[in-house]
Amino acid sequence: MQRYGFILHNSISSKIPSNSPAAIRLKKRKTASNKLSEEFNQTVIDAMPAPILVYDCNGRFITVNKAFCETFEICRNKNILENYNIKKFKNFMFENEEIAGENLSVNEEQMEFLHHYIDENGNSKWFEVIKKNIKIKTPGYATFCLFNDITSRKLAEDKLMDALKKEIEINRMKNQFISTISHEFKTPLSIIFSSGELIDYYFDRLTKTQLKDYVKKIKSAVKRMNEMIENLILISKAESNKLTLIKSEIEIKTFCESLIEETKSSTKKNGKITLLLHCEPSAIIKADEKILRHILLNLLSNAAKYCTENYEIDFEVSIDHNKIFFVVKDKGIGINEQDIPNLFKAFYRAGNTGKIPGNGLGLSIAKKFVDIHNGEISVESEYGSSTKFNVSIPLLN
Ligand code: ADP
């Protein structure tokens, strides 16, 4: 008797003795008809371009079509097929046991689910699987699965989702940019406005010292706004690749000493900056001096700014394999680990800033300048004790 099949036959009439010629003829006809229907079914499912699998309620494979064998790389030999079990297959074909089907009742509605398949070569495919239980005589019911390959649709959807996420992120950044800029401009503008008002109303009554004090406040607020505008122009130039490198010969020792002097004179704090040259003091490199100066001054002035009392900074320089390496190491307040990944984003200020002034633009500009030199910038820090910025820049020929 046929073990598996889709078309159910009427049982042989129990009235005819099983060894009578009529019963034997009927049995032969039924076997032939079963074989024919099995071949017909196989031909039909083989003609289907989508992979098809049918397994019984014990999970044993009944049949698969050519497309299934090609897609899931299995052999269609009948003996081999009978040894396949959905339980062995579910790890790669179905993502969880319920979906694998052995717990489904015969009357369960048709179900559809997504299946992600990765072949032996690591190629990824997505299928929309339509799964339906069908009644068969033995052993009760079979599960029919049709696999629609939706890989290209899924990839297009993923691309669309990525584009959407980017769009959302750009919008978020734009909003953050506008609110930070307006906030940053509001403070100096209100200082200018209130100082101007006071001068206007009380001009006759103000002493010279008071007057000078208000003018000083106005000048420093204007300076702050001016610096911010210049920084924004630099960022926008770097973003739109409008910054061109102007190379010149730079004598390392003189250059680094001038950076140290400039840092010391621009900060109100006292401290020590030690230059550690691991190259010939007379070494000359070819680079864009203005841009290099901007990067290093930012790191040095931050090192002086982000410390509680007097600063203590090591400024190391070395040349190796056509690259110049700068290390700025301080013994300041340090940066919390969770802030590190965001440090080079525009307007980002870590949680360590307290009342220390700043706008979070310096490091993002430094990073852009390092990038346009095809260089690298990184940071290591121990919260509460030290911070080290490393910069490496390929030397221009
Ligand atoms: P700003 O100093 O104007 O806030 P930056 O872009 O130069 O902006 O720096 C971003 C943030 O990185 C700072 O707000 C500060 O939190 C942190 N930071 C930078 N350098 C140091 C340093 N040497 N020590 C501790 N924190 C630092």
Side-chain angles (χ1 to χ4, degrees):
M1 175 120 145
Q2 174 82 31
R3 194 167 166 205
Y4 306 116
F6 299 105
I7 298 173
L8 306 178
H9 297 264
N10 295 326
S11 59
I12 300 166
S13 167
S14 55
K15 286 174 189 163
I16 306 169
S18 60
N19 54 356
S20 69
I24 291 166
R25 268 203 313 281
L26 199 62
K27 205 171 176 184
K28 269 187 185 166
R29 269 220 308 277
K30 193 192 164 211
T31 311
S33 139
N34 269 350
K35 195 159 172 13
L36 198 69
S37 83
E38 190 188 354
E39 275 168 16
F40 176 77
N41 285 333
Q42 194 62 52
T43 311
V44 170
I45 68 165
D46 271 346
M48 301 284 282
I52 290 173
L53 159 70
V54 186
Y55 57 92
D56 70 16
C57 54
N58 298 316
R60 274 182 303 219
F61 277 27
I62 297 174
T63 191
V64 293
N65 69 347
K66 270 186 193 158
F68 184 92
C69 296
E70 280 161 19
T71 310
F72 298 111
E73 297 157 312
I74 68 159
C75 173
R76 202 164 48 148
N77 177 302
K78 195 168 174 14
N79 296 332
I80 294 179
L81 261 192
E82 282 187 357
N83 285 326
Y84 274 123
N85 192 304
I86 194 69
K87 284 177 190 152
K88 284 190 210 158
F89 266 70
K90 70 185 174 200
N91 285 342
F92 88 97
M93 266 185 19
F94 299 100
E95 265 145 21
N96 67 53
E97 220 159 288
E98 267 170 57
I99 283 172
E102 58 267 23
N103 300 327
L104 288 180
S105 70
V106 189
N107 300 320
E108 182 115 3
E109 289 285 298
Q110 166 177 312
M111 64 184 288
E112 287 167 28
F113 60 92
L114 267 193
H115 168 59
H116 186 202
Y117 172 69
I118 298 168
D119 70 15
E120 281 174 3
N121 302 321
N123 300 317
S124 182
K125 280 194 169 177
W126 284 92
F127 294 95
E128 200 172 58
V129 185
I130 299 170
K131 194 165 161 256
K132 198 170 170 58
N133 286 337
I134 46 177
K135 270 190 185 177
I136 57 169
K137 195 174 183 185
T138 323
Y141 73 89
T143 303
F144 174 91
C145 295
L146 179 94
F147 295 74
N148 275 325
D149 189 343
I150 53 153
T151 310
S152 46
R153 193 183 90 197
K154 184 86 174 75
L155 290 180
E157 271 172 18
D158 288 352
K159 259 191 188 167
L160 212 67
M161 277 310 285
D162 281 351
L164 197 70
K165 274 187 201 156
K166 267 189 199 144
E167 184 74 24
I168 292 171
E169 177 60 12
I170 289 170
N171 251 331
R172 191 193 62 77
M173 280 169 70
K174 208 169 69 189
N175 289 341
Q176 189 200 7
F177 181 81
I178 292 169
S179 85
T180 319
I181 283 284
S182 11
H183 178 78
E184 284 299 317
F185 275 85
K186 233 175 166 176
T187 319
L189 273 176
S190 66
I191 293 173
I192 295 168
F193 185 75
S194 57
S195 302
E197 291 261 271
L198 287 168
I199 294 172
D200 193 17
Y201 286 133
Y202 305 110
F203 186 76
D204 298 336
R205 279 182 267 165
L206 289 174
T207 63
K208 263 191 176 175
T209 327
Q210 282 172 321
L211 204 59
K212 261 193 168 178
D213 195 36
Y214 288 132
V215 172
K216 199 175 156 194
K217 275 186 183 163
I218 292 175
K219 276 170 83 178
S220 90
V222 170
K223 190 172 165 240
R224 193 170 149 191
M225 285 171 68
N226 206 29
E227 271 172 12
M228 207 141 59
I229 290 170
E230 272 178 14
N231 279 340
L232 289 172
I233 292 171
L234 278 176
I235 289 189
S236 115
K237 273 189 179 172
E239 292 278 13
S240 53
N241 298 327
K242 279 187 186 150
L243 272 182
T244 38
L245 299 180
I246 305 165
K247 19 179 189 170
S248 64
E249 290 194 342
I250 309 168
E251 201 200 49
I252 284 297
K253 189 165 180 275
T254 324
F255 174 66
C256 292
E257 282 171 350
S258 75
L259 290 175
I260 292 174
E261 276 320 301
E262 205 171 326
T263 309
K264 280 182 173 170
S265 63
S266 65
T267 167
K268 286 171 197 153
K269 283 181 188 163
N270 290 320
K272 199 172 100 187
I273 304 178
T274 312
L275 178 62
L276 302 158
L277 269 186
H278 304 299
C279 60
E280 282 293 311
S282 57
I284 289 179
I285 59 154
K286 263 192 165 182
D288 188 312
E289 186 177 344
K290 210 174 153 198
I291 289 184
L292 206 54
R293 182 172 284 276
H294 197 103
I295 298 168
L296 296 168
L297 273 181
N298 180 264
L299 300 183
L300 286 165
S301 63
N302 271 353
K305 186 164 79 165
Y306 294 105
C307 63
T308 35
E309 284 167 21
N310 293 348
Y311 55 84
E312 218 176 297
I313 303 166
D314 281 347
F315 182 27
E316 268 182 70
V317 187
S318 56
I319 297 177
D320 194 18
H321 288 94
N322 239 10
K323 274 187 183 174
I324 185 156
F325 298 87
F326 298 96
V327 177
V328 177
K329 190 175 173 198
D330 65 59
K331 292 183 181 157
I333 58 174
I335 305 163
N336 211 318
E337 208 182 323
Q338 73 213 34
D339 286 314
I340 303 271
N342 298 316
L343 230 49
F344 297 102
K345 288 182 184 163
F347 296 114
Y348 189 85
R349 303 201 77 208
N352 61 0
T353 49
K355 286 186 176 161
I356 304 171
N359 51 34
L361 285 176
L363 282 182
S364 73
I365 295 174
K367 166 99 174 76
K368 290 216 164 66
F369 282 179
V370 170
D371 286 348
I372 55 173
H373 273 86
N374 294 322
E376 281 169 24
I377 183 166
S378 63
V379 56
E380 297 158 47
S381 186
E382 262 184 51
Y383 191 54
S385 63
S386 67
T387 301
K388 187 171 139 187
F389 279 91
N390 308 293
V391 172
S392 71
I393 294 198
L395 295 173
L396 302 173
N397 292 320

